[in-house]
Every structure is written in structure tokens, then in C-alpha cells.
Amino acid sequence: MEEKVLKAIQDEYPEDFAWCYGCGRMNEHGHHFRTGWDGDKTISIYNPKKEHMALPGFVYGGVIGSFVDCHGTGSAALYLHRKNGYEPGDGAEPPRFVTASLHVDFMKPTPQGTALKAIGTVHEIHPKKYRVETEVYAGETLCAKGEIIAVVMPDTFTAK
């Protein structure tokens, strides 16, 4: 399995919008989820820390929910960025998304000590609204399925 996403959309977010606890590179206490392309699917890889446990040996479900959430908004940003003619690393500022809806189904307990891989499929439902389906794997085991509705961040989110 790939160990790291090399060209992540989160690396392209301006500093003002890179503070999310899940995916913000500026948040020193956050998870630093990173989302990139793997063919026509999106991918994020994460190694939960020991303190992210539900009980010994298993990952807390809230971390999985956060992983699905940030993977989904990152996937929507990747999709629209590509639709606009850009890729991560091109120097163009990508669109930023927020979550309108989040749904997670837990399929199997998620073991600790194993890298988690989120694989996403993006469906455009409106020029500013996307549905992202995500599967979360620990090794070859499907542990969770999720879906978010991501919308382009409204201008009212900027604190200027």
C-alpha cells in the first residue's frame, strides 16, 4: 500500500483556510489528513495514534468520521480543481469546501496499528455541490463506508 499521498489538495489551501483539525496543515494538534488522486478515485492514508483508541486494539469511531469528512471535502476540492483545469502543485488556489451532510456506516471494528486508507468517488450533483462516497480500509478489510455532501465554502466563512 502507498505510504503517503504525495500531491495533496490540502497542501494548496491558503494559510487562512488550513486550520481544520482534521486536514489543516497549520493546526499543530490536528490529524493532517491529506487527499490526492489515485487514477479517477481519491485517496487518503492515515495512521491513527495510540490515543485515538475506542478500547485497546481498536480505533475510536469519531476519528473514522473525521477521516471520512475531511477526505470527502478534499475529494470534492480535487474534483472541482481538476474540472477547472488544475492539479495539486500547479500553483492555482483550489476551491475550498464545507460539509453539508455526513453519514458513516461502520462495517467492522477498525484495528489499531494499521494504516487506514480512504478511497473516494465523487459525484457532481450541482456546480457547487458534490456527493462523495468513501470506503475506509484497514489493510484489506473494509471497516467503514461514508458519504458526505460537500458544498463550495460560502464567502461568509471568511473572517475579514
Side-chain angles (χ1 to χ4, degrees):
M1 173 171 48
E2 181 180 343
E3 297 274 329
K4 182 179 179 184
V5 174
L6 298 178
K7 291 188 176 184
I9 196 71
Q10 291 88 351
D11 295 339
E12 306 298 318
Y13 295 158
E15 287 186 10
D16 290 355
F17 297 108
W19 290 92
C20 173
Y21 186 80
C23 64
R25 71 182 184 284
M26 303 301 294
N27 189 328
E28 66 182 277
H29 302 290
H31 296 298
H32 302 137
F33 301 139
R34 297 167 41 80
T35 308
W37 286 112
D38 185 17
D40 62 347
K41 304 277 186 182
T42 58
I43 187 170
S44 294
I45 297 169
Y46 184 65
N47 288 292
K49 297 178 182 171
K50 185 176 180 181
E51 61 265 26
H52 298 142
M53 84 169 73
L55 53 116
F58 298 97
V59 177
Y60 166 59
V63 170
I64 305 302
S66 181
F67 192 41
V68 169
D69 185 14
C70 288
H71 176 77
T73 56
S75 295
L78 277 167
Y79 181 91
L80 184 53
H81 200 48
R82 180 174 273 180
K83 183 179 174 187
N84 290 338
Y86 303 103
E87 295 292 336
D90 286 352
E93 185 176 316
R96 193 71 169 87
F97 281 77
V98 293
T99 305
S101 174
L102 169 65
H103 178 90
V104 180
D105 291 316
F106 298 94
M107 313 306 289
K108 293 195 181 251
T110 305
Q112 270 195 313
T114 302
L116 304 181
K117 178 171 61 172
I119 303 294
T121 304
V122 182
H123 305 276
E124 183 172 352
I125 53 180
H126 179 275
K128 291 187 177 186
K129 188 186 268 188
Y130 298 84
R131 180 171 55 87
V132 181
E133 298 169 347
T134 300
E135 294 182 333
V136 178
Y137 293 87
E140 299 299 315
T141 303
L142 177 62
C143 296
K145 290 183 179 183
E147 178 182 279
I148 75 155
I149 303 298
V151 294
V152 174
M153 185 184 331
D155 292 337
T156 56
F157 272 48
T158 57
K160 299 214 181 214

